[in-house]
Amino acid sequence: MQSSTAQDAVSAESAEPHSFSSKEQPKKVLTTVETERYGVRWKGKYGTWIEPDIVDAVDPYIYVHGPYCPHDGHGLRVGTVTKQVVRTDTAWICDACDRTYSYPEEGLSDESRIEYEMKQQLKKQRAQAQATD
Ligand SMILES: [Zn+2]
């Protein structure tokens, strides 16, 4: 069962921090995962899109949301910071602690890179869980 939809429509301009993922939130969350990338924290919900009695029948996926402040976990907003009087840069701003994190210059091309890291973590978690048997 292959489900390859055209999901590369995520534009770097949609800088709304919390609608980052092009996917729907999973209805049934199996586990959560976190990773750091671009200097900020991302969270992922690993689950399935239906409320299943039949989890085995559907492929779980990762829903990425964020970013969050690595310092206090507060949700970051996108804004601009002034650097050296004449220059303004796009940045992630934490309203809780006033820290700013520079927004990647090339933009957030897509979520697959973060997803990939999360998948590696999930794999590791699973391997560890099996090792404790
Ligand atoms: Zn903060």
Side-chain angles (χ1 to χ4, degrees), residues 69 71-74 76 94 96-99 101:
C69 178
H71 178 69
D72 54 29
H74 198 266
L76 301 174
C94 178
C97 67
D98 277 341
R99 282 175 168 79
Y101 304 92

Side-chain angles (χ1 to χ4, degrees), residues 97-117:
C97 67
D98 277 341
R99 282 175 168 79
T100 59
Y101 304 92
S102 46
Y103 196 87
E105 269 174 39
E106 71 274 22
L108 294 169
S109 43
D110 60 43
E111 71 226 77
S112 59
R113 194 164 170 181
I114 295 166
E115 267 186 36
Y116 175 78
E117 284 178 25

